[in-house]
Amino acid sequence: MSARYADFFPGQPTATPRSEAFRWAGGTLRVDRHGPRQAPLTVVLVHGAGGYGRMFAPLAAALADAGHEVLAPDLPGYGLSPAHWAQVDYAAWKRALLALIDAEHAQRARPIVLLGASIGGYLAYLVAAESPWVRGLAATTLADPRDPVVQAALVRQPWMRALLPTLRPLSRLTRGLRVPVRWFTHMQRMSRDPALTALVCADPLGGGNRVPVGLLASLFGTAPALEPEQFQRCPVLMLHPACDDWTPVAISDRFYQRLAAPKQRVLLDGCGHFPVEQPGLDQLRDALLPFLQRIDR
């Protein structure tokens, strides 16, 4: 099913990535690797709760064509990275990415840039706040799930938001119980294209996935090592879809405006939450490639 996502990236390059297994303390991650191994810079794509690495193969191929190495991992419990219920957790996702970055740096020291999509944007921020090897952070959203305004945008019903404080103790009781992620959040707002939204929602590796309650609990309660006012570890590029009605730019701005690091904000015209529309897709490329080049110098 993942190959069908390429149909929604018209005019973008296609390539078959090298698929690898990365073993870390919590299990095994499936990782797609694109581009030259000896590239001077590596981009790590960080997906959200409706995605996995292979969904972004057209974007990865475009970055690889520009001379960059790209890693697209499937986070625990998504894509081809099956995981024990305790590892399908926002903090465990952070640890898995930190382990992957440490391993990459140990093999060959080079700048690493994180590119987070959807709630993967905040996850990428959590990683950048801790990893000494991350030299740049780009994200399509920077919505902080601890913020009640963000919770109102992400959680489908007010009564569900009222239950958020109970999710962590409930997750300890339910353990392996998995629920469809679309029950809890607005997965139907994934894209402005109904066909793409339907594909994501039906994909058992992504938006059609079932996740432990613990993932939902951890999503809304994981704090960063550095709050944005203290974050100066690397430059930040926010590439926000201008027509995102799931996580509108205003709620990402609440976090972005607090960042102390050098930062740039670009709105992707015509794009919904999953940015595949033009001219926004070209605007993403035209902002991201110079950002990577500046870090590569």
Side-chain angles (χ1 to χ4, degrees):
M1 182 178 281
S2 61
R4 294 171 58 188
Y5 289 102
D7 296 339
F8 297 94
F9 290 85
Q12 299 300 304
T14 58
T16 302
R18 303 180 296 278
S19 184
E20 304 174 357
F22 170 70
R23 291 175 177 80
W24 68 293
T28 301
L29 296 185
R30 178 60 55 179
V31 181
D32 282 350
R33 190 182 295 267
H34 303 253
R37 286 184 177 273
Q38 299 306 313
L41 180 145
T42 295
V43 179
V44 178
L45 299 181
V46 184
H47 67 75
Y52 51 99
R54 189 64 59 95
M55 282 176 60
F56 299 97
L59 174 59
L63 294 174
D65 279 0
H68 304 298
E69 182 184 44
V70 183
L71 302 184
D74 294 344
L75 295 171
Y78 275 80
L80 300 179
S81 295
H84 184 267
W85 67 271
Q87 300 302 333
V88 188
D89 176 276
Y90 218 52
W93 284 6
K94 179 189 71 174
R95 292 193 298 271
L97 289 170
L98 287 168
L100 176 63
I101 290 168
D102 283 348
E104 289 295 313
H105 187 270
Q107 290 182 20
R108 182 164 46 87
R110 64 212 179 279
I112 291 177
V113 175
L114 302 178
L115 173 55
S118 187
I119 64 165
Y122 182 70
L123 177 59
Y125 174 83
L126 296 180
V127 174
E130 295 190 29
S131 174
W133 316 128
V134 173
R135 296 276 299 279
L137 169 63
T140 63
T141 71
L142 281 172
D144 182 348
R146 301 170 299 163
D147 185 337
V149 174
V150 176
Q151 293 174 5
L154 292 179
V155 182
R156 293 189 65 170
Q157 300 292 343
W159 64 266
M160 292 180 177
R161 295 198 293 275
L163 291 177
L164 290 180
T166 71
L167 287 181
R168 178 58 75 184
L170 179 63
S171 70
R172 297 190 184 100
L173 295 174
T174 59
R175 294 184 178 270
L177 176 65
R178 296 178 184 243
V179 298
V181 67
R182 64 180 180 275
W183 285 5
F184 195 79
T185 190
H186 299 285
M187 198 63 64
Q188 77 279 7
R189 298 179 183 173
M190 174 62 70
S191 168
R192 300 182 71 200
D193 186 329
L196 178 54
T197 297
L199 178 61
V200 172
C201 290
D203 191 339
L205 304 180
N209 194 8
R210 290 174 175 264
V211 300
V213 174
L215 174 62
L216 304 175
S218 65
L219 169 62
F220 294 101
T222 301
L226 295 170
E227 293 294 343
E229 291 84 359
Q230 286 77 48
F231 184 84
Q232 299 185 53
R233 298 179 71 104
C234 66
V236 178
L237 172 63
M238 186 169 76
L239 299 157
H240 207 291
C243 302
D244 185 346
D245 63 356
W246 189 359
T247 54
V249 65
I251 66 175
S252 287
D253 278 342
R254 293 168 63 87
F255 191 84
Y256 173 84
Q257 290 167 358
R258 296 166 55 199
L259 287 165
K263 56 191 177 182
Q264 179 184 2
R265 175 181 179 273
V266 175
L267 295 184
L268 308 179
D269 293 335
C271 286
H273 187 78
F274 190 161
V276 297
E277 297 87 356
Q278 295 291 10
L281 201 55
D282 284 347
Q283 292 169 339
L284 185 153
R285 178 202 62 207
D286 292 344
L288 182 57
L289 290 181
F291 179 75
L292 298 178
Q293 289 168 1
R294 289 193 294 272
I295 292 169
D296 188 24
R297 288 174 186 164

